[in-house]
Structures are given as structure tokens and as C-alpha cells.
Amino acid sequence: MNAAGEEERLPHSVSGLFGFALRSWAAYAPLFVVLAIGVFGVWSLVEYLVPAAAPETAQGQFKAYTMIFASTFADAFVIAAVALGVAARLGRTDLTPRALLGGAVERWLPVIAVSILVLSVQMLTDDFSGLGPTTVPRAVIYVTAPLVWIMWAAIGLAPPLVALDRNRTSLAVLLGFMRAFTLALRPENLIRLCMLAVVTIAPNILAALLQDSLAGGHLTLYVFFWSYAPIDALTIGPLAAIQTLFALDFARRAGVSAGRTPGRGE
């Protein structure tokens, strides 16, 4: 299907984008559910292999960071598969689960690289996000938190863009990261970016609230795992589908190409 036809199929309304994204995820639901179980399995494997420790200790911090980076690798594979599935549905192409998995394997390393870049920015700005403990004054947080959430939503478009990029070299990682910024922050896309930010930050807010709730219970050594692992596994697929549709929508509204629709052989 040509680019013009793909743009015609891409919904113009925000509700249409959300609906198409979720329907596209549901079209490959059996595969994506298995991948979600795999994400939870990665979290569980790290929880099992790394000795339990109190969160405030150095060993506890090491365990938390190990979980974060291990789950980033697993999430990257899910993002690549979901982005290809959404693009295929947009192009009216019926990809088999085997084709989706094969395409995700081919794109996994670039998506891992850009996901780690995104994660690094998130970790550097986390103190200003309003999520979790911070030494930043509350008055400052009220100003910085919305800006940080919007920035996270913008850079969150980078992994799907890299997954759909024809260029699979190391340069594609930096270009995808920069393209996510330039597309999302265009004036015509800012309102939709703010809406996307609410959806993007929702899992983080839920995890932070759950962590606070569990902190006073009997799961002290496993609070981080039970706060983040289930939410990550449940939300990474639908969120990746939404981010993919919004990235393509932002590109259309900016009048540029964001990637490709995979064919049957991919």
C-alpha cells in the first residue's frame, strides 16, 4: 500500500488514534499476551537471581537498576513487534506472528539502543518529575513535573520510530531520537502531545502509588518488583501501539515520512 493510502487510513481524531491503536494491538493479542508474560518473566528472573535487599541499601539499588535495564531489553522487543503490527494494520497487511517476531528480532538492537537513551534521559530528569522521593522543593516540582512528563512523552516516540525506520544502522538510533523531539514539539502537535503525555505517564503514576501502598506492608524486600513488574508487563504493549499511531500522526501533520509499512515477507 502506498504512503498516500496509509495516510488516508490513519485516523484524524485523537479518539480515532486511540481506538485504532488498541484494535491493532487486539488483532495480535495472543502473541502480544505471550510477549507480556515474557516481560514479567524477565522481571521475575532478575528477582530470583539477585539476592533480596532493602531498597535503601547499595545492594537494593543495584537490584532495582538491574531490573530496570533488564526490563528495558524485554520491553524493546515488545515495542518492535507492536510497532510492526500497528504499521501492518495501517497498511492493510496481514502479518503472521512468525513474521512479526522475525521483524522484531531484526530491529531489536536499534530499539534497545534508543530505549536505553530514552531511559537515561528519564533517569536524569526523574527528580523533577514529581514521582518518588526527591530533594527538589515542592514549588519547583509543580512547574517542572508537567514539562518533564511532556518531554518523556516526546522521547517515548523514539523506539517505535526506530522500529519502523528503513535505516537499521547505529545512526538510526540518534536520528530516531532527534526525530521524536522534532515531530512531537512542532506547534501543530503540542496539544496532542500533552494528551499523549497523560497516557504515557499513567503507568509510572500507578507504579509510584502502588509502591507507596506496599511500602508499609510485609513485602519490604519485594516492593519494587510488585510495584513495577505487573504494570510494565500489562501496559507496554498497548502503550507502544498508542505511541506508534501518535508518531505516525505527528509525522503526517508535519508533512514528513516516519517510516514504512512492513510487507508480508517481513
Side-chain angles (χ1 to χ4, degrees), residues 3 10 15 36-37 73 80 100 113 119 121 130 132 142 144 147 152 164 173 183 189 203 214 216 235 238 244 250:
L10 185 64
S15 61
I37 294 172
F73 277 58
L100 278 182
L119 175 63
V121 174
Y142 287 143
T144 59
L147 299 177
W152 286 3
L164 297 179
V173 173
L183 288 178
N189 291 330
L214 295 175
T235 62
T244 301
F250 288 174

Side-chain angles (χ1 to χ4, degrees), residues 13 150 160 189 245:
S13 67
I150 291 172
N189 291 330
L245 255 293

Side-chain angles (χ1 to χ4, degrees), residues 147-187:
L147 299 177
V148 169
W149 296 359
I150 291 172
M151 181 183 67
W152 286 3
I155 62 179
L157 301 178
L161 286 173
V162 170
L164 297 179
D165 200 330
R166 296 181 178 87
N167 183 3
R168 300 175 194 172
T169 66
S170 58
L171 184 61
V173 173
L174 293 177
L175 291 178
F177 188 81
M178 294 172 58
R179 188 180 304 156
F181 259 116
T182 56
L183 288 178
L185 296 180
R186 291 179 69 96

Side-chain angles (χ1 to χ4, degrees), residues 86-174:
V86 170
R89 293 274 297 175
L90 189 63
R92 301 181 187 272
T93 302
D94 185 20
L95 291 183
T96 64
R98 181 177 180 179
L100 278 182
L101 291 176
V105 169
E106 291 180 4
R107 295 158 173 83
W108 194 11
L109 287 180
V111 177
I112 286 175
V114 77
S115 295
I116 290 177
L117 185 56
V118 169
L119 175 63
S120 300
V121 174
Q122 291 174 336
M123 294 174 68
L124 288 172
T125 56
D126 187 59
D127 280 346
F128 299 93
S129 69
L131 302 174
T134 178
T135 57
V136 179
R138 186 174 297 273
V140 176
I141 292 295
Y142 287 143
V143 176
T144 59
L147 299 177
V148 169
W149 296 359
I150 291 172
M151 181 183 67
W152 286 3
I155 62 179
L157 301 178
L161 286 173
V162 170
L164 297 179
D165 200 330
R166 296 181 178 87
N167 183 3
R168 300 175 194 172
T169 66
S170 58
L171 184 61
V173 173
L174 293 177

